[in-house]
Amino acid sequence: MNQIGFPGLGLTFEIDRVAFDVFGKEIYWYAIIIACGFLLAVSYGMRRAHEFSLKQDDLLDMLLFAVPIAILSARAYYVIFNFSEYRHDLIRVLYIWEGGIAIYGAIIGSLITVIMFCRKRKLPLGDMVDIGALGLLIGQSIGRWGNFVNAEAFGGPTTLPWRMRLYDRVSRAMVEVHPTFLYESLWNLLGFILLHFYSKKRMFSGEIFFLYVAWYGLGRAFIEGLRTDSLYLFGSGIRISQMVGIVSFVAASVVLVVKSIQRKKQTEV
């Protein structure tokens, strides 16, 4: 049972990580929350598929390949940058139910899958990644609440009014910290709202995807700097997700600026 509170707001929660069990198998709230985020993202994508020159069947077929690969990639990313935890017991790499996945791994794996899928089916890649980016923002915004239930993915100490109080398994003490899960959830929600409305007048195929990469990269770069559970680049002091976030933001911004200049030149001709 996790006791999580927001003392500055007068809120306290007693949360059991286990929602219920089926034939002796425990079903965790984390998994349920992730599943809800995924289903809402799929529902949104299905409703708007035609606006992106896609058929609903194409979207579903893509997900059949992208989802399992995204899960494997998320696990692989985490293990690669946290290998010391598994070095002496490699079979635990397969124990994904114990936790240990990384969203950037999922994004990279699913992006590669989508590129290959679109080439095979001769589908518009830009449109597919645009609608996929919107779905990711939905899933990420909801999925972060799984970290809240697990009392994880929090930041360093703070005295801010919205600080979160919980038991830190590392220090074995109650701490008051930045609720970084909430920061990222709200950042993704705001990004979804903005890009949802902007997508109705996007300037080119693929624009929403690059805007998502820039938006999420910028937010993750700042939020990751507050967290206490970051993965580091092979023993260095570099937070891997923070570095990826910064690189993503810069790269996507460059693409958007170049595209903007190209469109401007075309209109002047």
Side-chain angles (χ1 to χ4, degrees):
M1 185 73 69
N2 291 321
Q3 184 181 74
I4 305 172
F6 294 85
L9 304 177
L11 299 173
T12 302
F13 304 93
E14 293 277 350
I15 304 174
D16 191 339
R17 294 176 61 202
V18 180
F20 53 86
D21 63 80
V22 178
F23 303 116
K25 179 65 176 178
E26 294 179 332
I27 306 299
Y28 291 90
W29 278 114
Y30 183 90
I32 294 174
I33 292 170
I34 293 294
C36 287
F38 171 73
L39 291 174
L40 282 174
V42 172
S43 176
Y44 174 85
M46 295 290 282
R47 288 174 65 88
R48 295 199 64 197
H50 67 282
E51 298 178 43
F52 290 81
S53 306
L54 296 167
K55 296 179 181 178
Q56 292 183 343
D57 287 346
D58 292 330
L59 202 59
L60 289 175
D61 288 346
M62 179 274 292
L63 289 171
L64 288 175
F65 291 99
V67 171
I69 292 177
I71 294 172
L72 293 174
S73 299
R75 179 61 168 175
Y77 185 102
Y78 180 85
V79 170
I80 289 171
F81 294 109
N82 197 34
F83 190 67
S84 59
E85 182 179 334
Y86 304 94
R87 180 176 300 163
H88 303 297
D89 190 8
L90 292 179
I91 191 65
R92 286 187 56 234
V93 170
L94 304 177
Y95 298 170
I96 194 170
W97 55 86
E98 291 185 350
I101 57 175
I103 185 60
Y104 266 127
I107 293 172
I108 293 169
S110 58
L111 177 59
I112 293 172
T113 304
V114 169
I115 291 173
M116 295 176 65
F117 179 84
C118 288
R119 285 183 177 178
K120 181 69 175 179
R121 292 287 188 89
K122 294 181 173 57
L123 295 172
L125 175 61
D127 293 324
M128 185 69 84
V129 293
D130 276 351
I131 198 169
L134 291 166
L136 276 171
L137 285 170
I138 294 174
Q140 288 174 267
S141 180
I142 294 172
R144 276 300 173 194
W145 285 88
N147 298 133
F148 168 71
V149 172
N150 284 353
E152 61 188 10
F154 51 83
T158 183
T159 57
L160 289 169
W162 55 83
R163 65 191 182 278
M164 181 170 63
R165 190 170 191 269
L166 46 71
Y167 179 76
D168 181 11
R169 298 180 184 88
V170 176
S171 64
R172 297 183 179 180
M174 296 299 289
V175 295
E176 295 185 355
V177 296
H178 283 283
T180 47
F181 85 91
L182 179 60
Y183 297 167
E184 189 166 331
S185 178
L186 293 177
W187 180 257
N188 289 328
L189 176 60
L190 177 60
F192 168 73
I193 293 171
L194 293 174
L195 293 186
H196 165 76
F197 288 107
Y198 181 75
S199 67
K200 300 177 184 294
K201 55 179 181 179
R202 58 185 176 144
M203 303 302 292
F204 63 92
S205 177
E207 183 180 19
I208 303 304
F209 170 74
F210 286 111
L211 286 170
Y212 158 76
V213 172
W215 178 268
Y216 182 66
L218 178 63
R220 185 60 184 268
F222 279 101
I223 295 169
E224 190 69 23
L226 297 174
R227 287 177 60 167
T228 59
D229 61 343
S230 298
L231 296 176
Y232 289 87
L233 186 62
F234 303 123
S236 70
I238 300 174
R239 299 172 189 256
I240 181 64
S241 289
Q242 189 173 44
M243 182 188 72
V244 173
I246 293 171
V247 172
S248 297
F249 170 72
V250 172
S253 297
V254 169
V255 172
L256 290 167
V257 169
V258 170
K259 286 286 188 180
S260 178
I261 293 173
Q262 290 176 341
R263 290 199 309 273
K264 185 177 180 180
K265 287 182 177 180
Q266 290 174 353
T267 56
E268 291 175 350
V269 174

Short mmCIF file of all heavy atoms in Angstrom, two decimals, residues 189-227:
data_model
loop_
_atom_site.label_atom_id
_atom_site.label_comp_id
_atom_site.label_asym_id
_atom_site.label_seq_id
_atom_site.Cartn_x
_atom_site.Cartn_y
_atom_site.Cartn_z
N LEU A 189 -0.60 16.82 -21.97
CA LEU A 189 -2.01 17.18 -22.18
C LEU A 189 -2.11 18.51 -22.90
O LEU A 189 -2.89 18.66 -23.85
CB LEU A 189 -2.74 17.25 -20.84
CG LEU A 189 -4.21 17.70 -20.90
CD1 LEU A 189 -5.02 16.74 -21.77
CD2 LEU A 189 -4.80 17.80 -19.50
N LEU A 190 -1.33 19.49 -22.45
CA LEU A 190 -1.34 20.80 -23.11
C LEU A 190 -0.86 20.66 -24.56
O LEU A 190 -1.44 21.26 -25.48
CB LEU A 190 -0.43 21.77 -22.35
CG LEU A 190 -0.27 23.17 -22.97
CD1 LEU A 190 -1.62 23.86 -23.07
CD2 LEU A 190 0.71 24.01 -22.13
N GLY A 191 0.18 19.86 -24.77
CA GLY A 191 0.68 19.64 -26.13
C GLY A 191 -0.38 19.01 -27.02
O GLY A 191 -0.54 19.40 -28.19
N PHE A 192 -1.12 18.06 -26.47
CA PHE A 192 -2.18 17.42 -27.26
C PHE A 192 -3.25 18.43 -27.65
O PHE A 192 -3.69 18.47 -28.81
CB PHE A 192 -2.82 16.27 -26.48
CG PHE A 192 -4.09 15.78 -27.11
CD1 PHE A 192 -4.06 15.04 -28.28
CD2 PHE A 192 -5.32 16.09 -26.54
CE1 PHE A 192 -5.24 14.61 -28.90
CE2 PHE A 192 -6.50 15.67 -27.14
CZ PHE A 192 -6.45 14.93 -28.33
N ILE A 193 -3.70 19.23 -26.70
CA ILE A 193 -4.75 20.21 -26.98
C ILE A 193 -4.31 21.18 -28.07
O ILE A 193 -5.05 21.45 -29.03
CB ILE A 193 -5.12 20.99 -25.70
CG1 ILE A 193 -5.79 20.05 -24.69
CG2 ILE A 193 -6.05 22.16 -26.02
CD1 ILE A 193 -6.00 20.66 -23.32
N LEU A 194 -3.10 21.70 -27.94
CA LEU A 194 -2.59 22.65 -28.94
C LEU A 194 -2.45 22.00 -30.32
O LEU A 194 -2.88 22.58 -31.33
CB LEU A 194 -1.23 23.20 -28.49
CG LEU A 194 -1.24 24.08 -27.23
CD1 LEU A 194 0.18 24.43 -26.82
CD2 LEU A 194 -2.05 25.35 -27.46
N LEU A 195 -1.86 20.81 -30.37
CA LEU A 195 -1.64 20.16 -31.66
C LEU A 195 -2.92 19.60 -32.25
O LEU A 195 -3.05 19.50 -33.48
CB LEU A 195 -0.59 19.05 -31.52
CG LEU A 195 0.83 19.53 -31.20
CD1 LEU A 195 1.81 18.36 -31.22
CD2 LEU A 195 1.28 20.60 -32.19
N HIS A 196 -3.87 19.24 -31.41
CA HIS A 196 -5.17 18.76 -31.91
C HIS A 196 -5.82 19.84 -32.77
O HIS A 196 -6.26 19.57 -33.90
CB HIS A 196 -6.09 18.39 -30.75
CG HIS A 196 -7.52 18.24 -31.15
ND1 HIS A 196 -8.00 17.13 -31.83
CD2 HIS A 196 -8.59 19.07 -31.00
CE1 HIS A 196 -9.29 17.27 -32.07
NE2 HIS A 196 -9.68 18.44 -31.58
N PHE A 197 -5.88 21.05 -32.25
CA PHE A 197 -6.53 22.13 -33.00
C PHE A 197 -5.65 22.59 -34.17
O PHE A 197 -6.17 22.87 -35.25
CB PHE A 197 -6.84 23.30 -32.06
CG PHE A 197 -7.96 23.01 -31.11
CD1 PHE A 197 -7.69 22.79 -29.77
CD2 PHE A 197 -9.28 22.95 -31.55
CE1 PHE A 197 -8.73 22.50 -28.89
CE2 PHE A 197 -10.32 22.66 -30.68
CZ PHE A 197 -10.05 22.43 -29.33
N TYR A 198 -4.34 22.62 -33.96
CA TYR A 198 -3.47 23.06 -35.05
C TYR A 198 -3.47 22.05 -36.19
O TYR A 198 -3.31 22.42 -37.36
CB TYR A 198 -2.04 23.27 -34.55
CG TYR A 198 -1.11 23.75 -35.63
CD1 TYR A 198 -1.15 25.07 -36.08
CD2 TYR A 198 -0.21 22.88 -36.25
CE1 TYR A 198 -0.33 25.51 -37.10
CE2 TYR A 198 0.62 23.30 -37.27
CZ TYR A 198 0.56 24.62 -37.70
OH TYR A 198 1.37 25.05 -38.72
N SER A 199 -3.64 20.77 -35.87
CA SER A 199 -3.57 19.73 -36.90
C SER A 199 -4.65 19.90 -37.97
O SER A 199 -4.51 19.38 -39.08
CB SER A 199 -3.71 18.34 -36.26
OG SER A 199 -5.00 18.16 -35.71
N LYS A 200 -5.70 20.62 -37.64
CA LYS A 200 -6.78 20.84 -38.61
C LYS A 200 -6.37 21.79 -39.73
O LYS A 200 -7.04 21.90 -40.75
CB LYS A 200 -8.03 21.37 -37.90
CG LYS A 200 -8.58 20.42 -36.82
CD LYS A 200 -9.75 21.02 -36.09
CE LYS A 200 -10.22 20.11 -34.95
NZ LYS A 200 -10.78 18.84 -35.47
N LYS A 201 -5.25 22.49 -39.52
CA LYS A 201 -4.75 23.41 -40.55
C LYS A 201 -3.24 23.26 -40.73
O LYS A 201 -2.53 24.23 -41.03
CB LYS A 201 -5.09 24.84 -40.17
CG LYS A 201 -4.59 25.27 -38.80
CD LYS A 201 -4.95 26.72 -38.51
CE LYS A 201 -4.42 27.15 -37.14
NZ LYS A 201 -4.74 28.56 -36.85
N ARG A 202 -2.75 22.05 -40.54
CA ARG A 202 -1.30 21.81 -40.67
C ARG A 202 -0.83 22.21 -42.07
O ARG A 202 -1.55 22.06 -43.06
CB ARG A 202 -0.98 20.34 -40.39
CG ARG A 202 -1.70 19.36 -41.28
CD ARG A 202 -1.44 17.92 -40.90
NE ARG A 202 -2.24 17.06 -41.77
CZ ARG A 202 -1.85 15.89 -42.22
NH1 ARG A 202 -0.68 15.41 -41.88
NH2 ARG A 202 -2.63 15.17 -43.01
N MET A 203 0.41 22.66 -42.12
CA MET A 203 0.95 23.21 -43.36
C MET A 203 1.52 22.15 -44.28
O MET A 203 1.56 22.33 -45.49
CB MET A 203 2.04 24.23 -43.03
CG MET A 203 1.57 25.38 -42.14
SD MET A 203 0.18 26.32 -42.85
CE MET A 203 1.01 27.10 -44.23
N PHE A 204 1.99 21.04 -43.70
CA PHE A 204 2.53 19.96 -44.53
C PHE A 204 2.44 18.64 -43.79
O PHE A 204 2.34 18.59 -42.56
CB PHE A 204 3.98 20.24 -44.93
CG PHE A 204 4.95 20.32 -43.78
CD1 PHE A 204 5.63 19.18 -43.34
CD2 PHE A 204 5.18 21.52 -43.12
CE1 PHE A 204 6.53 19.24 -42.28
CE2 PHE A 204 6.08 21.59 -42.06
CZ PHE A 204 6.75 20.46 -41.64
N SER A 205 2.46 17.56 -44.53
CA SER A 205 2.39 16.22 -43.96
C SER A 205 3.66 15.94 -43.16
O SER A 205 4.76 16.08 -43.68
CB SER A 205 2.23 15.19 -45.09
OG SER A 205 2.23 13.87 -44.56
N GLY A 206 3.49 15.59 -41.92
CA GLY A 206 4.64 15.35 -41.05
C GLY A 206 4.90 16.48 -40.08
O GLY A 206 5.69 16.34 -39.14
N GLU A 207 4.21 17.60 -40.27
CA GLU A 207 4.44 18.77 -39.41
C GLU A 207 4.07 18.49 -37.95
O GLU A 207 4.80 18.88 -37.03
CB GLU A 207 3.64 19.96 -39.91
CG GLU A 207 3.90 21.23 -39.11
CD GLU A 207 3.10 22.42 -39.60
OE1 GLU A 207 2.10 22.23 -40.30
OE2 GLU A 207 3.49 23.56 -39.25
N ILE A 208 2.95 17.81 -37.73
CA ILE A 208 2.50 17.54 -36.37
C ILE A 208 3.51 16.64 -35.65
O ILE A 208 3.79 16.83 -34.46
CB ILE A 208 1.11 16.87 -36.36
CG1 ILE A 208 0.10 17.75 -37.08
CG2 ILE A 208 0.66 16.59 -34.94
CD1 ILE A 208 0.00 19.17 -36.51
N PHE A 209 4.08 15.71 -36.38
CA PHE A 209 5.08 14.82 -35.79
C PHE A 209 6.30 15.62 -35.32
O PHE A 209 6.77 15.43 -34.19
CB PHE A 209 5.52 13.76 -36.79
CG PHE A 209 6.70 12.96 -36.35
CD1 PHE A 209 6.58 11.99 -35.37
CD2 PHE A 209 7.97 13.18 -36.90
CE1 PHE A 209 7.68 11.26 -34.93
CE2 PHE A 209 9.06 12.46 -36.48
CZ PHE A 209 8.91 11.48 -35.49
N PHE A 210 6.80 16.50 -36.16
CA PHE A 210 7.99 17.28 -35.78
C PHE A 210 7.67 18.26 -34.66
O PHE A 210 8.51 18.52 -33.78
CB PHE A 210 8.56 18.01 -36.99
CG PHE A 210 9.27 17.11 -37.95
CD1 PHE A 210 8.76 16.85 -39.22
CD2 PHE A 210 10.46 16.49 -37.59
CE1 PHE A 210 9.41 16.00 -40.09
CE2 PHE A 210 11.13 15.64 -38.46
CZ PHE A 210 10.60 15.39 -39.71
N LEU A 211 6.45 18.79 -34.64
CA LEU A 211 6.04 19.65 -33.54
C LEU A 211 5.97 18.86 -32.24
O LEU A 211 6.35 19.34 -31.17
CB LEU A 211 4.69 20.29 -33.84
CG LEU A 211 4.70 21.42 -34.88
CD1 LEU A 211 3.28 21.79 -35.28
CD2 LEU A 211 5.43 22.65 -34.35
N TYR A 212 5.50 17.62 -32.34
CA TYR A 212 5.44 16.74 -31.16
C TYR A 212 6.85 16.45 -30.64
O TYR A 212 7.11 16.54 -29.43
CB TYR A 212 4.76 15.43 -31.51
CG TYR A 212 5.10 14.29 -30.57
CD1 TYR A 212 4.55 14.23 -29.29
CD2 TYR A 212 6.02 13.31 -30.94
CE1 TYR A 212 4.88 13.21 -28.42
CE2 TYR A 212 6.36 12.28 -30.07
CZ TYR A 212 5.80 12.24 -28.81
OH TYR A 212 6.15 11.24 -27.94
N VAL A 213 7.76 16.11 -31.55
CA VAL A 213 9.13 15.80 -31.15
C VAL A 213 9.76 17.00 -30.45
O VAL A 213 10.44 16.86 -29.42
CB VAL A 213 9.98 15.39 -32.38
CG1 VAL A 213 11.45 15.25 -31.99
CG2 VAL A 213 9.47 14.08 -32.96
N ALA A 214 9.54 18.20 -31.00
CA ALA A 214 10.10 19.42 -30.39
C ALA A 214 9.44 19.69 -29.04
O ALA A 214 10.12 19.99 -28.05
CB ALA A 214 9.92 20.61 -31.33
N TRP A 215 8.12 19.59 -28.98
CA TRP A 215 7.38 19.88 -27.76
C TRP A 215 7.75 18.91 -26.63
O TRP A 215 8.09 19.33 -25.52
CB TRP A 215 5.89 19.82 -28.03
CG TRP A 215 5.03 20.06 -26.82
CD1 TRP A 215 4.53 19.12 -25.95
CD2 TRP A 215 4.58 21.32 -26.34
NE1 TRP A 215 3.80 19.72 -24.96
CE2 TRP A 215 3.81 21.08 -25.16
CE3 TRP A 215 4.74 22.65 -26.77
CZ2 TRP A 215 3.21 22.11 -24.45
CZ3 TRP A 215 4.13 23.67 -26.05
CH2 TRP A 215 3.39 23.39 -24.90
N TYR A 216 7.69 17.62 -26.94
CA TYR A 216 7.99 16.64 -25.90
C TYR A 216 9.45 16.69 -25.50
O TYR A 216 9.80 16.58 -24.32
CB TYR A 216 7.63 15.23 -26.37
CG TYR A 216 7.90 14.19 -25.30
CD1 TYR A 216 7.16 14.19 -24.12
CD2 TYR A 216 8.90 13.25 -25.44
CE1 TYR A 216 7.42 13.27 -23.12
CE2 TYR A 216 9.17 12.32 -24.44
CZ TYR A 216 8.41 12.34 -23.29
OH TYR A 216 8.67 11.44 -22.29
N GLY A 217 10.33 16.87 -26.47
CA GLY A 217 11.76 16.96 -26.17
C GLY A 217 12.08 18.11 -25.24
O GLY A 217 12.87 17.97 -24.30
N LEU A 218 11.47 19.27 -25.50
CA LEU A 218 11.71 20.44 -24.67
C LEU A 218 11.23 20.19 -23.23
O LEU A 218 11.96 20.44 -22.27
CB LEU A 218 10.98 21.66 -25.26
CG LEU A 218 11.11 22.97 -24.47
CD1 LEU A 218 12.56 23.42 -24.41
CD2 LEU A 218 10.22 24.05 -25.10
N GLY A 219 10.01 19.69 -23.10
CA GLY A 219 9.46 19.43 -21.78
C GLY A 219 10.24 18.37 -21.03
O GLY A 219 10.54 18.51 -19.84
N ARG A 220 10.58 17.29 -21.73
CA ARG A 220 11.30 16.19 -21.07
C ARG A 220 12.69 16.64 -20.62
O ARG A 220 13.18 16.20 -19.57
CB ARG A 220 11.39 15.00 -22.02
CG ARG A 220 12.02 13.75 -21.39
CD ARG A 220 11.20 13.27 -20.19
NE ARG A 220 11.83 12.14 -19.52
CZ ARG A 220 11.57 10.87 -19.79
NH1 ARG A 220 10.69 10.55 -20.74
NH2 ARG A 220 12.16 9.90 -19.12
N ALA A 221 13.34 17.49 -21.40
CA ALA A 221 14.67 17.96 -21.04
C ALA A 221 14.66 18.68 -19.70
O ALA A 221 15.54 18.49 -18.87
CB ALA A 221 15.22 18.88 -22.13
N PHE A 222 13.63 19.50 -19.48
CA PHE A 222 13.53 20.23 -18.22
C PHE A 222 13.09 19.32 -17.08
O PHE A 222 13.67 19.34 -15.98
CB PHE A 222 12.55 21.40 -18.36
CG PHE A 222 13.15 22.61 -19.02
CD1 PHE A 222 12.88 22.88 -20.35
CD2 PHE A 222 13.98 23.46 -18.32
CE1 PHE A 222 13.43 23.98 -20.98
CE2 PHE A 222 14.54 24.58 -18.93
CZ PHE A 222 14.26 24.84 -20.27
N ILE A 223 12.06 18.52 -17.33
CA ILE A 223 11.50 17.67 -16.27
C ILE A 223 12.49 16.60 -15.84
O ILE A 223 12.62 16.29 -14.66
CB ILE A 223 10.18 17.03 -16.75
CG1 ILE A 223 9.14 18.13 -16.99
CG2 ILE A 223 9.67 16.02 -15.73
CD1 ILE A 223 7.89 17.66 -17.70
N GLU A 224 13.22 16.03 -16.80
CA GLU A 224 14.19 14.98 -16.48
C GLU A 224 15.26 15.50 -15.52
O GLU A 224 15.77 14.76 -14.67
CB GLU A 224 14.85 14.46 -17.75
CG GLU A 224 15.71 13.22 -17.57
CD GLU A 224 14.91 11.98 -17.23
OE1 GLU A 224 13.71 11.93 -17.56
OE2 GLU A 224 15.50 11.04 -16.64
N GLY A 225 15.59 16.78 -15.65
CA GLY A 225 16.58 17.38 -14.76
C GLY A 225 16.15 17.43 -13.31
O GLY A 225 16.99 17.58 -12.41
N LEU A 226 14.85 17.28 -13.06
CA LEU A 226 14.32 17.30 -11.69
C LEU A 226 14.23 15.92 -11.08
O LEU A 226 14.13 15.78 -9.86
CB LEU A 226 12.91 17.94 -11.69
CG LEU A 226 12.80 19.40 -12.12
CD1 LEU A 226 11.33 19.80 -12.20
CD2 LEU A 226 13.55 20.31 -11.15
N ARG A 227 14.25 14.89 -11.92
CA ARG A 227 14.00 13.53 -11.43
C ARG A 227 15.21 12.94 -10.70
O ARG A 227 16.35 13.33 -10.93
CB ARG A 227 13.60 12.62 -12.60
CG ARG A 227 12.18 12.89 -13.08
CD ARG A 227 11.78 12.06 -14.28
NE ARG A 227 11.83 10.63 -14.01
CZ ARG A 227 11.29 9.71 -14.81
NH1 ARG A 227 10.63 10.08 -15.91
NH2 ARG A 227 11.40 8.43 -14.52
#
